[in-house]
Amino acid sequence: MENKPLILVTNDDGITAPGIRALISVMNEIGEVIVVAPDSPQSGMGHAITVNSTLYCSPITINEEDVQLEYSCSGTPADCVKLAVNEILNKKPDICVSGINHGSNSSINVIYSGTMSAAVEAGIEGIPAIGFSLCDYSWEANFDAVKEYAKTITKSALKNGIPKGVVLNVNFPKLKDDKIKGIKICRQARARWVEEFDKRTNPMGRDYYWLTGKFANQDKGEDTDEWALANGYVSVVPVQFDLTAHHAIQDLNTWSLND
């Protein structure tokens, strides 16, 4: 009998979030599942790790019908992967999947995303990894339409392998299954958040701020994740965690830094 792949599942919305429960149900159809996820929401944490306080990680049962081992962690998504690899698992998983996030992680959002940072941490450990996100921020978001796409992409990654030094950033449009046109391999759109701060004053007279803003996409390319999502496709962006701007090295070598 063919051995089932070992799959590590994590997220940034917390271990009870509907998105991760949907992802767990999909992964249970593919392999042996181990869940290590935050005990509370960690959205927007990026690649933060816990260095100045203690970490707790305890076995937990969320749904009795789920057969996989689950651990609730007090740390960040990146912490969850580190603990899983170094303390919980006795071997590296065959793949790590993170999500399904409640909300988009396309374009520049990949920088801020705890979902994607968990996948990147796995990639740093040499583990094939995928981050999944649905463009619906609602806690009651319906993940049924995207489960088969998550299954297809994961099985394909297991079969074909993900290029070394790369993790996949997958985003699903907020559409019914029959409205999704397919899957597109894309580049990250050149877009950014235009931040605003809602300034208020508390009863003690101290000012405080709520971060707000609008997403601005000036990229008109039809090969981007933003274009794919806007046109009804699942976007798949290969992301590298080597942040070296290799194209700039030659230019910087023309600077007279040693004169």
Side-chain angles (χ1 to χ4, degrees):
M1 183 179 293
E2 184 179 356
N3 291 330
K4 288 186 175 182
L6 178 61
I7 304 172
L8 173 61
V9 179
T10 189
N11 75 342
D12 75 353
D13 288 315
I15 197 166
T16 62
I20 194 173
R21 307 321 302 180
L23 188 59
I24 290 167
S25 70
V26 172
M27 295 303 124
N28 274 335
E29 299 178 18
I30 299 174
E32 178 187 353
V33 177
I34 304 293
V35 181
V36 184
D39 59 11
S40 60
Q42 298 284 329
S43 296
M45 290 297 291
H47 211 101
I49 57 174
T50 302
V51 293
N52 291 319
S53 60
T54 53
L55 280 171
Y56 297 91
C57 193
S58 305
I60 189 172
T61 300
I62 305 298
N63 296 323
E64 290 290 346
E65 63 269 21
D66 290 339
V67 296
Q68 75 285 329
L69 294 173
E70 297 195 52
Y71 295 84
S72 176
C73 175
S74 64
T76 68
D79 287 330
C80 290
V81 175
K82 287 179 179 291
L83 278 167
V85 171
N86 291 285
E87 292 292 328
I88 295 172
L89 300 175
N90 56 16
K91 66 174 183 176
K92 283 189 176 181
D94 295 291
I95 196 167
C96 173
V97 292
S98 182
I100 300 171
N101 190 63
H102 291 244
S104 171
N105 277 317
S106 60
S107 185
I108 198 64
N109 294 304
V110 70
I111 296 294
Y112 309 109
S113 167
T115 299
M116 280 306 298
S117 289
V120 167
E121 183 62 37
I124 293 169
E125 293 282 351
I127 302 165
I130 309 171
F132 291 105
S133 303
L134 174 65
C135 297
D136 186 347
Y137 290 92
S138 171
W139 192 257
E140 289 76 31
N142 187 347
F143 294 91
D144 290 341
V146 303
K147 285 183 176 181
E148 282 302 313
Y149 290 99
K151 184 177 181 180
T152 296
I153 293 168
T154 302
K155 290 179 71 174
S156 184
L158 285 165
K159 177 182 177 181
N160 298 295
I162 296 174
K164 185 177 180 180
V166 170
V167 300
L168 302 183
N169 182 18
V170 178
N171 282 269
F172 303 112
K174 183 184 175 182
L175 294 171
K176 294 182 178 179
D177 183 29
D178 60 352
K179 299 297 183 182
I180 298 177
K181 298 176 182 177
I183 300 170
K184 279 195 176 293
I185 309 301
C186 310
R187 65 175 174 86
Q188 177 182 318
R190 292 185 294 273
R192 60 183 290 266
W193 284 94
V194 180
E195 277 89 5
E196 299 174 359
F197 286 90
D198 183 0
K199 182 179 179 180
R200 305 181 187 183
T201 304
N202 70 15
M204 303 300 292
R206 185 176 181 181
D207 292 337
Y208 66 96
Y209 301 85
W210 283 106
L211 175 61
T212 63
K214 296 180 180 179
F215 186 68
N217 179 21
Q218 290 88 23
D219 196 325
K220 304 304 180 183
E222 296 185 1
D223 58 343
T224 72
D225 49 6
E226 290 297 328
W227 185 93
L229 293 164
N231 286 273
Y233 292 93
V234 177
S235 68
V236 179
V237 176
V239 175
Q240 64 182 19
F241 43 85
D242 175 3
L243 299 182
T244 306
H246 293 276
H247 65 281
I249 290 176
Q250 184 175 355
D251 179 62
L252 291 178
N253 277 329
T254 66
W255 294 13
S256 300
L257 296 175
N258 294 307
D259 293 348

